[in-house]
Amino acid sequence: MSGLAEPSSGTKPIYVLNGPNLNLLGEREPEVYGRTTLAQIGERVSARAGTFGLSVEFRQSNSEAELIGWLQEARHESCGVVLNAAGLTHTSVALLDAARALGRPLIEVHLSNPYAREEYRRHSFVSEAATGVICGFGAQGYLFAIDHLAQLAKSPNG
Ligand code: DQA
């Protein structure tokens, strides 16, 4: 038997997908997004998932097309998705369409609280297809999302 920290072989990974400019975390507007780098978030997310026996595919792209491709891949290859679509959150119907086709739990995450910011950040296309939204908790929000997906993976009907 494997221990709890061993990713279980039967369950598909959680896809954690990050959109444009999130590769600059730590340097980019630290007063808004904090000083934690994306690599550090990736490490924390994988460690947290590991405590539930789950593994993570942690990816970032500045390309809308690539993110859509990953969402399509996640339809069959993941047990759920954590998505920080960054600026595309507020602009991309194509990303929404891909999110609608996912057929898996989808948690939308933002480091900042877009509702406390500029007017144009207050609408999210992604939210229309999201199971839930976590925003304003910095890097910790990713961990909340992992906790929820791990819970769902254990008992899909809540
Ligand atoms: C963000 C919020 C978006 O409005 C912004 O365009 C980002 C990051 C966040 O994590 O707070 O790039 O998604």
Side-chain angles (χ1 to χ4, degrees):
M1 272 309 280
S2 61
L4 253 191
E6 287 273 310
S8 95
S9 52
T11 313
K12 291 185 171 166
I14 297 171
Y15 274 39
V16 181
L17 305 180
N18 296 281
N21 302 303
L22 292 173
N23 53 312
L24 300 180
L25 280 182
E27 296 166 37
R28 170 193 180 215
E29 299 180 81
E31 65 289 356
V32 177
Y33 299 117
R35 296 219 174 262
T36 308
T37 65
L38 195 64
Q40 288 168 330
I41 293 176
E43 282 164 20
R44 291 176 198 176
V45 157
S46 289
R48 182 66 143 244
T51 66
F52 298 109
L54 294 171
S55 63
V56 165
E57 269 296 319
F58 192 88
R59 301 180 187 171
Q60 186 276 333
S61 179
N62 293 327
S63 151
E64 182 175 17
E66 193 158 39
L67 289 162
I68 290 168
W70 290 342
L71 280 174
Q72 291 184 3
E73 180 185 313
R75 296 173 69 225
H76 301 294
E77 301 303 328
S78 79
C79 69
V81 173
V82 179
L83 175 62
N84 184 349
L88 292 171
T89 305
H90 317 296
T91 63
S92 178
V93 174
L95 210 56
L96 167 60
D97 289 343
R100 280 214 171 113
L102 182 63
R104 298 272 188 274
L106 170 67
I107 313 299
E108 176 182 355
V109 168
H110 301 284
L111 296 147
S112 67
N113 174 4
Y115 301 100
R117 301 179 62 196
E118 301 93 333
E119 181 69 37
Y120 56 80
R121 294 185 202 276
R122 290 182 200 159
H123 176 260
S124 162
F125 284 102
V126 172
S127 292
E128 292 178 37
T131 311
V133 182
I134 298 168
C135 66
F137 297 104
Q140 205 184 7
Y142 285 77
L143 304 182
F144 295 156
I146 296 294
D147 288 351
H148 182 75
L149 289 177
Q151 188 64 42
L152 282 183
K154 251 201 290 175
S155 47
N157 300 318

